[in-house]
Amino acid sequence: MHILVFHILGAGAIGTLLATLLADNTHQAILIDRARTPKFDVTRNRHDTVAHYRFKGLDENRPASHLLLCTKAQHVITATRSIEHLISSDTIIIDLANGMGHQQELSTTYPHNPVLYGSVSHGAYWANGKLIYAGEGEIHIGHPNGQRPESIPTLPNCFLWSENIITKLWLKLAVNCAINPLTVINNCKNGELLSYSDTQTIVDSICSEVEQIALRQGISLPDTRQVVHQVLKNTADNSSSTRQDYLNGKSLELEYINGYIVTEGTRLGVATPANRQMLTAVSKLIQK
Ligand code: KPL
């Protein structure tokens, strides 16, 4: 198999996990961290196994053939701009960040590049400097118009090609709009939300707003409340990414989650009080 070199922007848990998954698939990864320093060494500690990869002879300043964006949603555009010397018109840019809105900004910013959107459901986090692979998931990627551009060669097995990536992103958005702020407000793990009496009512309102906005954009979603319920059960023991960020004093992605729904609601004339309430409640907590 042809060995591909992936530049991964964002050396957080997901970026690092992807580097190791690619290396497992015999591909190579250059992780670029916040200081914009490319790192060639990737270490994974998984169930007591330590995988250590050292790629020699990679030219860090050669333009990227494949650029995976694994930053926080709010940093996608600025972080990508900061490594423009690594982007040529042939670079395939794959946006794997959470939330919605940055993907479209990216396509507009790089109109001559193949820009793909993606959704990651692997679970990973850092604990005492170790990367914990908490839950095996999938990575779906696709082109917003549903078609696979001819310029996109075969991709490693850890990516699944999706002909309907936009719907996948919307379903993930609904899940994140409901679960992420509620786990911050209640300071709880995902599954604990199932035991609160008012969760269903709030989730229903949040999901109904998401579905209305999607419909106004021409996307008809299945019942997202059921999807949220299933994810709450499947990830019961998880601390949501937003709760982890909140507890670690990091900036939150909610502007690209509930914030996207509120902004689109204003643009399209659809009321979105439940999503707005999530933003207000979380920002009050941050100000405390
Ligand atoms: O995507 C997630 C997140 O935490 O951001 C969920 C699915 C809610 C899992 O925790």
Side-chain angles (χ1 to χ4, degrees), residues 39-197:
K39 292 200 257 177
F40 301 107
D41 281 357
V42 174
T43 310
R44 181 181 68 199
N45 298 272
R46 181 186 183 182
H47 313 306
D48 297 334
T49 342
V50 178
H52 190 72
Y53 305 93
R54 181 176 286 263
F55 307 120
K56 290 217 174 94
L58 289 181
D59 177 0
E60 65 191 71
N61 290 314
R62 238 177 67 181
S65 62
H66 295 72
L67 175 62
L68 292 179
L69 305 180
C70 296
T71 67
K72 293 282 172 196
Q74 63 273 29
H75 301 142
V76 166
I77 301 295
T78 42
T80 308
R81 284 222 166 103
S82 75
I83 55 152
E84 227 141 48
H85 60 288
L86 293 175
I87 302 176
S88 78
S89 57
D90 292 331
T91 303
I92 299 168
I93 307 177
I94 308 173
D95 185 353
L96 297 177
N98 272 337
M100 191 80 93
H102 49 83
Q103 299 91 342
Q104 295 76 0
E105 285 177 53
L106 197 66
S107 294
T108 312
T109 311
Y110 297 97
H112 305 300
N113 285 78
V115 176
L116 304 179
Y117 304 170
S119 167
V120 180
S121 63
H122 290 290
Y125 61 92
W126 295 105
N128 304 322
K130 283 190 179 180
L131 179 64
I132 310 293
Y133 190 5
E136 212 166 305
E138 289 170 342
I139 305 169
H140 293 268
I141 60 173
H143 192 274
N145 72 13
Q147 273 155 24
R148 187 174 182 136
E150 274 173 25
S151 55
I152 311 286
T154 338
L155 289 162
N157 293 341
C158 54
F159 297 111
L160 301 172
W161 185 262
S162 169
E163 283 176 2
N164 206 349
I165 193 66
I166 297 292
T167 300
K168 284 213 156 52
L169 291 176
W170 271 97
L171 289 175
K172 178 121 196 277
L173 183 68
V175 165
N176 292 139
C177 279
I179 300 178
N180 294 33
L182 285 174
T183 55
V184 175
I185 295 163
N186 293 289
N187 192 18
C188 68
K189 289 191 169 180
N190 297 355
E192 285 173 61
L193 291 176
L194 289 166
S195 63
Y196 301 141
S197 57

Side-chain angles (χ1 to χ4, degrees), residues 192-253:
E192 285 173 61
L193 291 176
L194 289 166
S195 63
Y196 301 141
S197 57
D198 55 350
T199 298
Q200 198 55 54
T201 317
I202 305 172
V203 169
D204 283 359
S205 309
I206 293 171
C207 286
S208 144
E209 291 173 13
V210 173
E211 288 172 20
Q212 282 178 65
I213 300 288
L215 203 56
R216 291 291 297 268
Q217 289 192 12
I219 297 144
S220 169
L221 296 176
D223 187 352
T224 56
R225 292 165 308 172
Q226 278 186 21
V227 180
V228 171
H229 192 76
Q230 198 56 48
V231 173
L232 281 175
K233 289 211 279 197
N234 294 350
T235 65
D237 214 27
N238 271 25
S239 220
S240 80
S241 56
T242 307
R243 179 172 179 238
Q244 288 180 52
D245 287 343
Y246 172 71
L247 295 175
N248 290 322
K250 293 192 181 154
S251 71
L252 308 185
E253 295 182 302

